């Protein structure tokens, strides 16, 4: 579904992502992990083209996307969230959802601002997430957890094939964490492919089919959660342990 080939992103002399390569198989939940500063979010930004890679290639479903604009990538089936909510605070939850729906080219200019079909779709997603009660709340009135759920729902409006979740569990309580995990599992069971950046190792190990580990901008290990958990290079990257002591 997604293939990253020799991806690099340099900021002056800083190599945030350096010759990074990995694959995300269709229908899987893949976690991208690593210590702070490993380059995970920068890799996400390069994949979704919110920043331009220095070099390398990104392929989605057999088509190269690293030279496309972000809206074109979304139309091809890749959607993402951000660590910090980007909701429009003066718009309602329902309106925030609908602005992220697919635009039907030039013909979209002649449609109502909110079509009945879009409203029904947004309400269906809000119902799936259990937050229909806040559909008409302004974005500025939402709690942190509600913003996380709204962002999660909004990316589903574009009918993605694969979703990239950047720290969906960051800052949420345990109850909401379990709720988010349940939503991700249910979507994956419906065939949606998931790539997730997350620091919560319990969530990663319980949720993922495959784990890709980055350190210093490149991939140092990938495999099942059990393989990664016991890899000496991963232990060294996270704990600073010498490999012969692991």
């Amino acid at each position: 579904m997604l293939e990253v080939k020799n991806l690099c992103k340099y900021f002056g002399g800083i190599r945030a992502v350096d010759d990074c390569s990995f694959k995300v198989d269709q229908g899987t939940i893949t976690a991208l992990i690593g210590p702070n500063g490993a380059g995970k979010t920068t890799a996400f930004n390069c994949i979704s083209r919110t920043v331009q890679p220095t070099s390398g290639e990104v392929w989605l479903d057999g088509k190269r996307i690293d030279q496309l604009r972000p809206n074109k990538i979304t139309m091809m089936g890749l959607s993402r969230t951000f660590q910090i909510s980007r909701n429009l605070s003066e718009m309602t939850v329902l309106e925030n959802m609908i602005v992220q729906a697919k635009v039907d080219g030039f013909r979209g200019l002649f449609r109502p601002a909110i079509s009945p079909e879009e409203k029904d779709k947004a309400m269906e997603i809000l119902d799936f997430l259990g937050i229909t009660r806040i559909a008409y709340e302004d974005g500025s009135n939402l709690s942190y957890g509600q913003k996380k759920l709204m962002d999660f729902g909004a990316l589903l409006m574009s009918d993605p094939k694969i979703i990239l979740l950047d720290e969906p569990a960051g800052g949420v309580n345990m109850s909401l964490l379990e709720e988010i995990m349940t939503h991700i599992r249910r979507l994956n069971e419906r065939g949606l492919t998931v790539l997730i950046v997350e620091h919560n190792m319990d969530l990663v190990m319980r949720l993922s089919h495959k784990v890709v580990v980055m350190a210093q901008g490149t991939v140092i290990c990938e495999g099942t959660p059990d393989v990664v958990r016991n890899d000496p290079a991963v232990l060294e990257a996270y704990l600073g342990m010498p490999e012969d002591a692991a």
Side-chain angles (χ1 to χ4, degrees):
M1 173 63 73
L2 180 71
E3 184 173 7
V4 176
K5 298 180 179 180
N6 308 113
L7 189 66
C8 297
K9 179 59 183 177
Y10 304 155
F11 298 97
I14 299 173
R15 299 190 174 198
V17 178
D18 190 18
D19 199 26
C20 177
S21 299
F22 63 89
K23 295 180 181 180
V24 178
D25 294 330
Q26 184 173 355
T28 63
I29 300 173
T30 299
L32 183 62
I33 69 170
N36 288 332
K40 306 179 297 296
T41 294
T42 302
F44 253 39
N45 291 341
C46 290
I47 292 167
S48 60
R49 263 303 247 117
T50 51
V51 301
Q52 183 175 351
T54 301
S55 62
E57 300 177 5
V58 181
W59 293 74
L60 175 64
D61 214 11
K63 298 177 181 178
R64 188 171 175 181
I65 64 170
D66 54 274
Q67 298 172 331
L68 300 179
R69 293 181 178 180
N71 64 306
K72 294 292 186 182
I73 293 173
T74 299
M75 291 176 67
M76 290 176 65
L78 184 150
S79 292
R80 66 162 295 180
T81 61
F82 293 84
Q83 290 181 22
I84 299 173
S85 177
R86 296 193 173 190
N87 74 88
L88 302 171
S89 60
E90 300 306 314
M91 296 176 67
T92 67
V93 169
L94 188 64
E95 290 167 338
N96 268 284
M97 297 277 288
I98 290 171
V99 296
Q100 298 201 47
K102 279 187 176 178
V103 177
D104 191 19
F106 187 74
R107 289 173 293 177
L109 297 175
F110 299 97
R111 295 168 51 196
I114 297 179
S115 70
E117 295 79 14
E118 287 173 333
K119 182 177 178 181
D120 289 346
K121 181 177 181 179
M123 292 301 293
E124 182 180 340
I125 292 171
L126 291 173
D127 182 58
F128 169 76
L129 297 174
I131 54 173
T132 52
R133 66 189 182 281
I134 65 169
Y136 296 98
E137 285 283 348
D138 285 346
S140 59
N141 295 333
L142 302 183
S143 68
Y144 181 79
Q146 288 171 333
K147 288 178 181 178
K148 282 276 190 180
L149 288 173
M150 183 187 68
D151 291 345
F152 190 24
L155 66 79
L156 301 177
M157 287 294 294
S158 61
D159 297 319
K161 302 174 185 177
I162 179 171
I163 57 174
L164 278 58
L165 305 176
D166 196 353
E167 296 194 30
V172 305
N173 59 43
M174 286 303 298
S175 176
L176 182 56
L177 172 61
E178 292 297 328
E179 192 176 331
I180 290 172
M181 287 180 65
T182 298
H183 295 323
I184 294 171
R185 285 197 187 99
R186 289 172 63 190
L187 289 168
N188 178 246
E189 288 167 0
R190 296 180 183 184
L192 188 63
T193 303
V194 181
L195 176 61
I196 180 171
V197 164
E198 185 52 61
H199 284 287
N200 186 315
M201 288 299 101
D202 178 62
L203 180 151
V204 166
M205 297 304 172
R206 290 164 56 194
L207 191 63
S208 307
H209 301 110
K210 176 183 175 181
V211 180
V212 178
V213 187
M214 289 184 68
Q216 298 180 343
T218 194
V219 173
I220 60 168
C221 178
E222 57 184 304
T224 64
D226 284 340
V227 168
V228 167
R229 184 186 287 117
N230 297 302
D231 187 276
V234 176
L235 294 173
E236 182 182 15
Y238 270 99
L239 304 176
M241 296 171 57
E243 292 192 16
D244 57 2

